[in-house]
Amino acid sequence: MADLTLKSTLQSQSDRPNTLTSGHRACQGCGEALGARCAIDAAFRAANGKIAVVNATGCLEVFSCSFPENSWGTPWLHSLFGNAPAVATGVAAALRNQNKSDVRVIAQGGDGSTVDIGMGCLSGMFDRNDDVLYICYDNQAYMNTGVQRSGATPPLTRTATTMPVKDYSGNDPQTGKNVPLIAMAHGIPYVATASIGNIPDLEEKVSKAINIRGSKYIHIHVPCPLGWGFPTSETIRIAKLAIRCGLFPLFEAENGKLVGSSMIESPIPVEDYLRVQRRFAHLFGKNAPPDAVGIFQKIANENMEKYRLNGGISDD
Ligand SMILES: Cc1ncc(C[n+]2csc(CCOP(=O)(O)OP(=O)(O)O)c2C)c(N)n1
Ligand code: SF4
Ligand SMILES: [Mg+2]
């Protein structure tokens, strides 16, 4: 696995294809824009420029496209909110019929479209092992429509639909879904998690996945300054904190089995990650729920164990 340092700025790399180019309308500091740009650039390079992208409705689609123009340097289709995997399956089938399977197909969407409304289509795509790489950009809520809770929203988080009031402390613990594990349960050839806190690792995983035949799934952690409540200059630092405290484990799985994970050399307490975001501010106020931080620390500790983040496991 690649290390955590970002060796040069994205703009300074002369070989960067810039698949998501200037002129889009993402917020300043948008983690999703950065994640998508890096992921699709990596896929473009690894497939020698032969890719087609299907995009579910959400921030990424809205900020990158205002008809009849868009910011993409690749063939790009907007599907509905919930059917990107099915549309991508159709694109891959059409290409196969024309003997053009060298054109690699990507479907992408936010956590709302992936974890919630598109889940049935995604599971069907995995079940048939369709030749598509699905990328989820996880900002842990429905950002495009005003920060509503999704099945990927963490426990006790404040969103527009989980506002802490009286005895209610934000999103209920013990709810939500872990889609990387659900993808692994389908036994598809490749599943990985990635983060804009480790861009070399993200690009390595996308480059690997794009040329594997069959279904692939990559779940990318993309902090959102607007929805999470932090300064726009802090996006990458927040993503790194999530990795370092164990709340967002980086791993790879093949055919349903864990095959690699990124070791955390000196884990930090989850509090270092939580305190710097306004969506968690109520967990530190005078009406804070008992042991809120402990709930997150338990998840991080379990991740350390489950994904072997202490010892890591080899990539070979
Ligand atoms: C069937 C349907 N329901 C609701 C919507 C409204 N809608 C558009 S984008 C969106 C939220 C997208 O959230 P997510 O997938 O997490 O992407 P993000 O904007 O957070 O990147 C919603 C609810 C829609 N377009 N179609
Ligand atoms: S709301 Fe969040 S995800 Fe959407 S464009 Fe702004 S920063 Fe990006
Ligand atoms: Mg989202």
Side-chain angles (χ1 to χ4, degrees):
M1 300 250 173
D3 69 20
L4 269 176
T5 49
L6 188 56
K7 292 192 182 70
S8 57
T9 69
L10 294 179
Q11 292 292 1
S12 71
Q13 294 166 344
S14 57
D15 63 339
R16 184 158 283 281
N18 287 322
T19 50
L20 178 60
T21 188
S22 57
H24 64 70
R25 298 166 300 148
C27 306
Q28 190 174 33
C30 174
E32 187 165 77
L34 180 64
R37 181 176 176 212
C38 295
I40 304 303
D41 274 0
F44 187 93
R45 269 196 299 249
N48 297 318
K50 293 189 172 183
I51 57 171
V53 182
V54 177
N55 210 133
T57 310
C59 270
L60 180 59
E61 166 266 323
V62 170
F63 72 61
S64 68
C65 173
S66 48
F67 185 80
E69 290 157 345
N70 73 45
S71 300
W72 295 97
T74 61
W76 181 89
L77 283 82
H78 172 216
S79 66
L80 297 178
F81 188 26
N83 70 352
V87 173
T89 290
V91 172
L95 289 166
R96 192 176 61 242
N97 262 0
Q98 298 168 37
N99 291 322
K100 290 182 184 164
S101 293
D102 55 330
V103 179
R104 310 302 295 141
V105 180
I106 298 168
Q108 59 182 2
D111 51 297
S113 66
T114 308
V115 172
D116 295 335
I117 190 168
M119 190 73 214
C121 288
L122 186 64
S123 175
M125 187 194 109
F126 291 159
D127 177 30
R128 296 182 301 268
N129 198 22
D130 294 325
D131 190 16
V132 174
L133 165 60
Y134 190 97
I135 302 176
C136 172
Y137 301 100
D138 183 7
N139 52 24
Q140 305 186 329
Y142 293 73
M143 296 310 177
N144 183 56
T145 41
V147 198
Q148 295 86 14
R149 177 209 179 267
S150 81
T153 301
L156 302 174
T157 304
R158 185 186 71 190
T159 68
T161 46
T162 56
M163 292 297 282
V165 278
K166 294 189 179 160
D167 293 339
Y168 180 71
S169 309
N171 189 34
D172 287 325
Q174 307 297 336
T175 59
K177 311 170 207 172
N178 185 323
V179 180
L181 291 184
I182 293 172
M184 282 168 67
H186 287 73
I188 59 172
Y190 186 75
V191 174
T193 57
S195 166
I196 58 158
N198 188 345
I199 289 174
D201 178 70
L202 184 166
E203 294 191 334
E204 206 172 292
K205 286 168 174 166
V206 172
S207 306
K208 177 173 171 181
I210 194 74
N211 287 317
I212 296 173
R213 298 281 151 174
S215 285
K216 292 81 57 179
Y217 179 79
I218 301 186
H219 193 100
I220 305 182
H221 194 233
V222 290
C224 163
L226 183 140
W228 298 13
F230 60 80
T232 55
S233 56
E234 291 289 280
T235 309
I236 292 183
R237 191 172 79 88
I238 301 268
K240 285 182 189 288
L241 291 176
I243 298 170
R244 287 195 52 205
C245 72
L247 283 176
F248 195 84
L250 297 180
F251 64 88
E252 289 180 292
E254 289 173 8
N255 305 310
K257 289 205 169 59
L258 192 68
V259 293
S261 53
S262 292
M263 208 177 130
I264 304 175
E265 275 171 17
S266 35
I268 55 167
V270 292
E271 195 169 335
D272 292 5
Y273 169 69
L274 302 175
R275 269 199 186 270
V276 288
Q277 303 173 52
R278 278 202 304 280
R279 64 179 175 155
F280 300 123
H282 60 289
L283 306 184
F284 301 98
K286 70 175 183 327
N287 297 326
D291 204 27
V293 174
I295 290 175
F296 284 91
Q297 194 61 59
K298 183 165 178 280
I299 295 170
N301 294 348
E302 283 169 3
N303 284 343
M304 297 296 270
E305 187 79 18
K306 192 189 296 180
Y307 302 103
R308 302 184 220 170
L309 306 177
N310 279 322
I313 50 177
S314 94
D315 281 337
D316 28 72

